[in-house]
Amino acid sequence: MIKVIKREKIPQKLLIIIPIISILVGLIIGAIAMIIVKINPLIVYKAIILGAFGSWYAFTETLVFTTPLILLSVGLIMAYKISFWNIGAFGQYILGAIFSSYFALFGPQNLSRLITLTIMVLLGLLGGAFWAAIPAFLKTYWDVNEVLSTLLLNYIALNILRYLMYGTWKDPSHIGFPLSRRFEVNAQLPRIIPNSRVNLGLLFGIIAALLIWFILKKTKFGYRISVIGGNPIAAKYAGINVINDTIICIMISGALSGLAGMVQVSGVLHLLQIEINPYYGYTAIIIAWLANLNPIVSIFVSYFFGAMISGAYLIQLTMKVPIGISSLIQSSIFFVLIGSRFLINYKVVFEKRSKK
């Protein structure tokens, strides 16, 4: 007889082995897809590695792609710790970019760089937190499914961005291209590595990861988050204000996604446009789970995905291999990872039938 039993304690080795297996399966599925279209996967994977690490320029470009992924994944970890299934980092990222860009484009142009960037950072945080607060209120007061509400808000955010970029925020000098005016120098995040695009946002990401780890592990608020995430009814009977803590936690989650949007427009693009890579919001979901909801581990997993994205851009340019192969690998990893959560939480036991 086969029995499925919930594990009382999850073995640490499973938490390490399953993400590794998920990555390997994702790479194998990607290789099979390439073989089907008659592309040698070994050559492609070698090109991806060289594209991510093959030179100093490639290394720094990988860090550029890593930066928003750290902020987004750390924010999502906050939400998932409290069992709020936030799919809306995509939209929160866009709102953070829009809010911060507003000040860069229409605010006073004669302020110092420190003041301008500080206000842009605060507006980026505010934009993401505002967009995350909507599903948080809907969930806590009316029990609206957060997967649906955050997903639908993503489309609304994207259409707001399109409306602005095809409307009043479009720079008329960019004929035919929906681009804003270029930010002034005082609205651009400073570079921290010479002759590269690596900007101050990378330090924001690392500090955010350390700060969230500290909050989750060393504070009463972090403890309450874990209790609510484990059993919100028990948390309520224990005297925890579940509604307040949930809303605060989700707003922090959204604020970090909004900051990622600010970092992208201020540190990398130096303008607002439709193609600000909001799909990082979905990639960050995979990163958060691969890191087993550990903010510090998410830094390294973000770097791995940053390398994959950076390398994928190179093979598209040099080998004419569709960049979608990177998305295929990512989605395969996520599929295996989510499926394997069953093996983490439950164990299969074989029992012999007793003879009567």
Side-chain angles (χ1 to χ4, degrees), residues 34 39-49 315 319 321 325:
M34 284 184 264
I39 297 172
N40 188 334
L42 294 177
I43 295 175
V44 172
Y45 284 147
K46 181 183 176 183
I48 288 177
I49 293 171
I315 61 172
M319 303 175 65
V321 176
I325 197 67

Side-chain angles (χ1 to χ4, degrees), residues 20-82:
I20 293 173
I21 292 175
S22 302
I23 291 171
L24 290 175
V25 171
L27 293 174
I28 291 170
I29 291 175
I32 293 172
M34 284 184 264
I35 291 171
I36 291 174
V37 295
K38 298 180 180 179
I39 297 172
N40 188 334
L42 294 177
I43 295 175
V44 172
Y45 284 147
K46 181 183 176 183
I48 288 177
I49 293 171
L50 290 175
F53 309 107
S55 64
W56 177 250
Y57 173 77
F59 172 73
T60 58
E61 280 298 291
T62 298
L63 290 177
V64 172
F65 287 103
T66 301
T67 298
L69 294 177
I70 296 174
L71 287 164
L72 287 161
S73 59
V74 168
L76 288 173
I77 286 170
M78 282 286 287
Y80 297 153
K81 279 285 186 182
I82 207 166

Side-chain angles (χ1 to χ4, degrees), residues 159-173:
N159 280 302
I160 291 173
L161 177 62
R162 284 176 174 159
Y163 172 78
L164 294 173
M165 296 318 304
Y166 282 107
T168 54
W169 287 25
K170 179 183 175 183
D171 185 353
S173 65

